[in-house]
Amino acid sequence: MAAKLKKGDKVIVLAGKDKGQTGEISSVNPQTGKAVVSGVNIAIRHTKQSQTDQGGRVPQAMPIQLSNLAIVDKNGKATRVGFKMDGDKKVRFAKTTGDVI
């Protein structure tokens, strides 16, 4: 099955503590159905000091469920993703505007 959300997509959070925040997908894990979005779902991780970097409390973006994310269209609104054939190539398009993503 084709992925509706991919790395580099600009998305908005639909549910949870970060509802309404936007960010860019930095990684997707289809097996678990989760994605890491920059600036969203931040948790504090305690790291030990090493020779290269200082230790301490480091903020880190944690994975969020794909069902709680929606892609942002050109108008800045949340939209669903559809698929259509553009010639002989399968492309994603925004359901609200009909534009190819």
Side-chain angles (χ1 to χ4, degrees), residues 5-6 22-23 27 29-30 32 35 39 48 59 62 68 75 81 99-101:
L5 297 174
K6 295 183 178 181
T22 58
S27 69
N29 188 347
T32 60
K48 213 173 212 184
M62 299 303 287
N68 293 335
N75 300 331
V81 177
D99 294 335
V100 174
I101 299 170

Side-chain angles (χ1 to χ4, degrees), residues 44-48 56-58:
I44 301 294
R45 291 284 161 238
H46 297 76
T47 59
K48 213 173 212 184
R57 296 163 43 102
V58 179

Side-chain angles (χ1 to χ4, degrees), residues 1 6 24 26 29 33 36 45 52 59 61-62 67 71-72 74 86-88 101:
M1 187 169 151
K6 295 183 178 181
E24 189 173 311
S26 55
N29 188 347
V36 176
R45 291 284 161 238
T52 57
M62 299 303 287
S67 62
I71 202 158
V72 177
K74 66 177 182 180
D86 189 20
D88 60 343
I101 299 170

Side-chain angles (χ1 to χ4, degrees), residues 26-97:
S26 55
S27 69
V28 178
N29 188 347
Q31 285 82 23
T32 60
K34 295 187 176 198
V36 176
V37 181
S38 59
V40 175
N41 199 21
I42 300 295
I44 301 294
R45 291 284 161 238
H46 297 76
T47 59
K48 213 173 212 184
Q49 183 175 350
S50 66
Q51 286 185 334
T52 57
D53 57 274
Q54 184 75 28
R57 296 163 43 102
V58 179
Q60 182 181 2
M62 299 303 287
I64 188 168
Q65 281 284 338
L66 289 174
S67 62
N68 293 335
L69 301 175
I71 202 158
V72 177
D73 62 2
K74 66 177 182 180
N75 300 331
K77 299 223 173 196
T79 182
R80 291 179 296 163
V81 177
F83 294 96
K84 64 181 176 183
M85 295 303 289
D86 189 20
D88 60 343
K89 192 167 172 106
K90 187 177 183 181
V91 294
R92 300 182 299 158
F93 73 97
K95 293 256 185 161
T96 54
T97 60

